[in-house]
Amino acid sequence: MTRPPSVPVPDSKSSVPSVTSFPVEEAAQALRERLGSVPEVLVVLGSGLGGLTEAVEGPQVIPFSELPGFPAAGVAGHGSRFVAGTLEGRSVLLQAGRFHFYEGHPAAVVAGPVRVAAHLGVERAIFTNAAGGIDPRFGPGTLMLIEDHINFMGRSPLVGPVAEGEVRFPDMSTAYDAEYRDLARRVALEQGISLERGVYAGVLGPNYETPAEIRMLGRLGATAVGMSTVPEVIVARARGMRVMAVSLITNAAAGISLEELSHEEVLEAGQEAAPRLEALIRGVIREM
Ligand code: HPA
């Protein structure tokens, strides 16, 4: 895509806060020294989904605190670390714990771990998250394959100078890899795991939405809502990574059910449904 001539081209000396405020290179180097080889797949685990780390063979645990640029993550249910090893015969890099905009982190930090994985040479990413169900058919425990997203966070992690290895205007028309979507559905079918499909609306949070906001998101085509994943997927696509993502619906979104929303409820539903999501991800990794 060509740039309109009137738009100034930011250069590396620009004062815009950007990826340059996250030490991607240094963190990737630190990981590389620990891992020895480049993992095939990055798997980002959402709230309450950290159990998959226990299935990794020959696990190497690298706490975020041992990597340059990684702040200590602070949401209940998140243990913040990478776990590298073998899963279903493939070398994987699991990321337990992630950074959210609602914690006050700048975009460079929110997208930092994905950039680090991409810099390492990881070419595929699976994202998981906990989300509220907007489609009234999606009750707690539903697994929803993300087919597309709507960025309602009011920001993009790509704002600022173009980071090394990224493109200025990444195409998002098939952000969620079509082959991986087919694969996920086939694996789900084979394993008898019911898997819905839909559109994830990424919102800033940290408050849950109002019923009016949920009605709006539903009318705009969203079937689930959550506070993560979108910035990570944007960066993954800007880096040319192939992406798959699944939401675990932990609650009916505001106004869809009459119940009040609580973080505890979100974590509980996560626990119940996590084994199904883990089985799905393992099946996908096996055949990726
Ligand atoms: N809204 C936003 N994020 C969420 C929700 C929700 O209802 N449930 C889990 N994460």
Side-chain angles (χ1 to χ4, degrees), residues 130-132 203 208-209 225-227 250-254 261 266:
V203 296
Y208 291 118
E209 303 69 38
V225 58
M227 305 173 194
T250 52
N251 57 280
L261 303 183
V266 166

Side-chain angles (χ1 to χ4, degrees), residues 263-286:
H263 186 56
E264 288 64 38
E265 178 196 4
V266 166
L267 292 179
E268 262 171 46
Q271 272 170 14
E272 179 277 319
R276 275 183 285 128
L277 182 49
E278 286 167 20
L280 176 67
I281 289 171
R282 292 177 71 151
V284 167
I285 287 174
R286 199 182 308 134

Side-chain angles (χ1 to χ4, degrees), residues 40-246:
E40 291 170 273
V41 194
L42 169 72
V43 186
V44 179
L45 304 168
S47 296
L49 299 172
L52 200 58
T53 56
E54 263 134 61
V56 173
E57 295 155 42
Q60 255 192 306
V61 179
I62 301 127
F64 285 179
S65 57
E66 293 175 15
L67 295 171
F70 285 67
V75 182
H78 285 204
S80 42
R81 64 202 189 281
F82 284 114
V83 179
T86 305
L87 193 61
E88 302 297 333
R90 303 219 166 232
S91 64
V92 293
L93 181 63
L94 305 193
Q95 179 189 326
R98 53 153 58 106
F99 304 113
H100 304 86
F101 280 127
Y102 66 73
E103 294 168 284
H105 294 301
V109 170
V110 173
V114 176
R115 283 199 168 107
V116 169
H119 199 80
L120 257 183
V122 181
E123 293 175 348
R124 307 158 202 195
I126 300 177
F127 297 94
T128 63
N129 58 52
I134 297 178
D135 186 318
R137 297 173 304 142
F138 297 176
T142 301
L143 298 182
M144 185 193 90
L145 182 66
I146 301 181
E147 295 198 310
D148 206 346
H149 76 222
I150 303 175
N151 183 0
F152 252 103
M153 295 178 159
R155 56 194 75 180
S156 164
L158 305 182
V159 170
V162 182
E164 204 192 314
E166 292 176 20
V167 294
R168 173 77 299 180
F169 302 112
D171 174 56
M172 293 294 287
S173 55
T174 46
Y176 299 86
D177 192 277
E179 266 180 47
Y180 289 172
R181 281 189 266 144
D182 287 346
L183 174 59
R185 293 174 60 208
R186 182 161 58 76
V187 168
L189 200 65
E190 283 165 7
Q191 303 202 8
I193 299 168
S194 81
L195 182 62
E196 303 288 348
R197 293 179 272 170
V199 175
Y200 177 89
V203 296
L204 185 59
N207 53 285
Y208 291 118
E209 303 69 38
T210 63
E213 286 164 345
I214 292 301
R215 283 195 299 275
M216 173 192 75
L217 293 173
R219 282 181 192 150
L220 294 179
T223 58
V225 58
M227 305 173 194
S228 68
T229 305
V230 165
E232 294 149 297
V233 169
I234 291 172
V235 164
R237 291 304 299 145
R239 295 263 167 169
M241 292 172 105
R242 294 179 69 184
V243 168
M244 185 188 123
V246 183

Side-chain angles (χ1 to χ4, degrees), residues 11-30:
D11 64 26
S12 59
K13 295 183 198 76
S14 163
S15 59
V16 181
S18 73
V19 65
T20 51
S21 57
F22 193 91
V24 172
E25 179 108 38
E26 290 83 344
Q29 182 56 29

